[in-house]
Amino acid sequence: MKAGMREWSPVSLALSCVLAGIALCLHADNILMYTLGAASATIPFVCSFLAGVVILCLSSSVSAHDDEKRRWSIVIGLATALAGVLFALFLEVLPVVPMAMGAGMLLGFGLACLLRQWARFYRSFTFQGALLNTGFAFLLASMWWIALANAGSVFLFCLGLIVLTLSGGLPLLASDIVRADEVREGFRNDDLWVSSVTIWQVMRQGWAAVAGLMLNFFAIGLTFWQSSAVAVTLVPKPLVYAIVAVVVWWVALHARTAIDGFLGAFYRVALPVAALLMLAPASLALAFPGLGDVVLVLVSYAGTALCNVLGLVVLFWSAKSSEVGFSKMFAAFCASCAASVAVGLVVCQLVGQHAPVVLLCLLTVYLVAMVLNEVKSSFARRRNPSVPGALAASESLDTAGGER
């Protein structure tokens, strides 16, 4: 228990507010999208949101990262996201399409900017701590999403978005100020925060987690159009994220005391299971179109939740520990997520009602690729058992890094 508490950071809970804000802007089954769909402004909003994310990625790849400019970046992200919410507040008063485009562009830029700063905050975590905090952040994000998706009016929805934005940015700003002051006074050595693990070490086995995250964003775009005119309904997201949070908490609690490669073994088991959980409901839905069992929804969300948590951990970890630079790595990952949504939107328009078949095929390819990769890795480990896996190396480096 004490080991698990050492990995816990209450400040990181604010990440859930940023995640919820992004989810609310990308999911069609919320009150804002429902209003935009009725006003035929959904396409301008989504396209401008993705454009805002890409603009942030382009600016991130060339920006400086000293303490003062980092603090200004947090302020800019907060102000831009809040301005986007204000644009959304005037959807029913001013011309809808310009307001939708302005809201999408500003929200995409601002929320991605805050997410980028949260990725920087991850350098204070061990890999186990990143896993634990991300799991609980997604759990809270699903709760925020349920509350706001059923707000009942655009005004209450936007008011909730304002609260989420402030709750996500202000703790980050306060934490950054305290950290900078502690470094200046000599109470903290920032050099000890970043481990020496390379991007290649992490991504050798972490590619499947990031691919799963991209696949989920593709599925958001692929299924967006079908749900854009559907009224808001309750879904069991918090339940499955609670289950995933408990699983990753147990892993984080035992990772330091288990045998070498414990985290690597967890990834090798969790990711294929996640793919199977996503694949089974999709297959059953195609075979039995009238089947609407809640259990299938729970199973599908469980697979998605695992891919989201593991994918975001590897994404943040890779960005913060990469030899090629934090900004370039984060910009590449974030732009890839935006591109995945865009490709999903386009593919759905091209294939129409056959979109579920496309998703099923991609899930099958994803699962087969992971199985083949695991078979290849197993042969490699048998030939040279002294060489640790990527995540095992990451784990040993974290343990050697000392207290943070």
Side-chain angles (χ1 to χ4, degrees):
M1 180 65 71
K2 290 182 178 179
M5 292 305 296
R6 282 199 299 269
E7 301 289 358
W8 178 252
S9 175
V11 178
S12 71
L13 291 179
L15 170 65
S16 64
C17 299
V18 180
L19 294 175
I22 294 174
L24 284 161
C25 291
L26 288 177
H27 282 283
D29 49 346
N30 63 60
I31 193 67
L32 180 61
M33 286 295 182
Y34 187 68
T35 303
L36 289 171
S40 301
T42 305
I43 297 177
F45 178 85
V46 175
C47 291
S48 60
F49 183 91
L50 297 177
V53 174
V54 172
I55 291 173
L56 183 277
C57 294
L58 293 175
S59 62
S60 295
S61 62
V62 296
S63 61
H65 305 302
D66 56 82
D67 288 337
E68 193 62 33
K69 290 188 177 181
R70 189 179 307 160
R71 199 171 302 168
W72 271 108
S73 181
I74 298 171
V75 174
I76 290 173
L78 267 171
T80 307
L82 289 173
V85 180
L86 291 177
F87 268 71
L89 275 171
F90 290 100
L91 282 173
E92 298 177 335
V93 180
L94 298 176
V96 174
V97 174
M99 290 296 101
M101 293 182 65
M105 181 78 70
L106 294 171
L107 280 167
F109 183 93
L111 291 175
C113 185
L114 291 178
L115 187 65
R116 172 200 177 199
Q117 299 307 321
W118 275 116
R120 284 193 168 281
F121 184 72
Y122 263 53
R123 66 182 185 168
S124 64
F125 292 137
T126 61
F127 205 94
Q128 295 85 353
L131 186 66
L132 173 66
N133 284 270
T134 306
F136 278 94
F138 266 105
L139 171 60
L140 283 185
S142 66
M143 294 178 179
W144 307 149
W145 182 88
I146 286 289
L148 283 191
N150 294 273
S153 70
V154 176
F155 175 79
L156 291 177
F157 184 91
C158 291
L159 186 62
L161 273 181
I162 291 176
V163 174
L164 284 177
T165 303
L166 292 174
S167 299
L170 292 180
L172 177 62
L173 182 61
S175 175
D176 190 74
I177 293 172
V178 171
R179 180 196 57 79
D181 290 341
E182 289 180 349
V183 171
R184 191 178 300 111
E185 296 297 329
F187 297 125
R188 177 182 291 173
N189 185 354
D190 247 4
D191 294 336
L192 296 178
W193 283 30
V194 182
S195 66
S196 57
V197 61
T198 64
I199 181 62
W200 171 243
Q201 286 175 308
V202 175
M203 291 304 296
R204 260 192 342 198
Q205 288 182 348
W207 69 266
V210 177
L213 184 67
M214 302 301 171
L215 186 61
N216 183 40
F217 276 97
F218 173 81
I220 290 174
L222 195 67
T223 59
F224 183 87
W225 306 103
Q226 288 89 342
S227 57
S228 60
V230 178
V232 177
T233 57
L234 284 173
V235 290
K237 284 186 179 180
L239 175 60
V240 293
Y241 275 111
I243 295 173
V244 171
V246 170
V247 171
V248 299
W249 174 81
W250 186 88
V251 171
L253 187 65
H254 291 79
R256 288 188 181 277
T257 58
I259 60 175
D260 289 340
F262 181 82
L263 283 174
F266 170 67
Y267 264 66
R268 290 196 299 271
V269 173
L271 285 168
V273 168
L276 283 173
L277 290 176
M278 290 188 291
L279 188 61
S283 304
L284 290 173
L286 284 176
F288 306 99
L291 192 63
D293 195 348
V294 177
V295 176
L296 293 182
V297 179
L298 284 169
V299 171
S300 178
Y301 274 128
T304 302
L306 270 174
C307 282
N308 283 344
V309 173
L310 299 181
L312 200 65
V313 170
V314 175
L315 188 157
F316 280 174
W317 190 267
S318 303
K320 73 104 176 182
S321 59
S322 171
E323 292 178 324
V324 301
F326 171 85
S327 291
K328 291 182 179 179
M329 285 302 305
F330 180 81
F333 277 126
C334 199
S336 298
C337 291
S340 298
V341 177
V343 171
L345 291 169
V346 173
V347 169
C348 184
Q349 291 295 294
L350 294 176
V351 302
Q353 62 181 0
H354 299 294
V357 178
V358 174
L359 183 58
L360 184 63
C361 293
L362 288 176
L363 285 171
T364 304
V365 172
Y366 176 61
L367 180 60
V368 171
M370 282 192 295
V371 172
L372 292 177
N373 181 73
E374 179 56 28
V375 171
K376 179 181 177 182
S377 299
S378 297
F379 279 115
R381 286 193 296 270
R382 289 179 181 178
R383 290 179 180 177
N384 192 359
S386 62
V387 178
L391 295 178
S394 163
E395 180 181 348
S396 61
L397 286 168
D398 274 337
T399 306
E403 294 295 329
R404 283 167 169 71

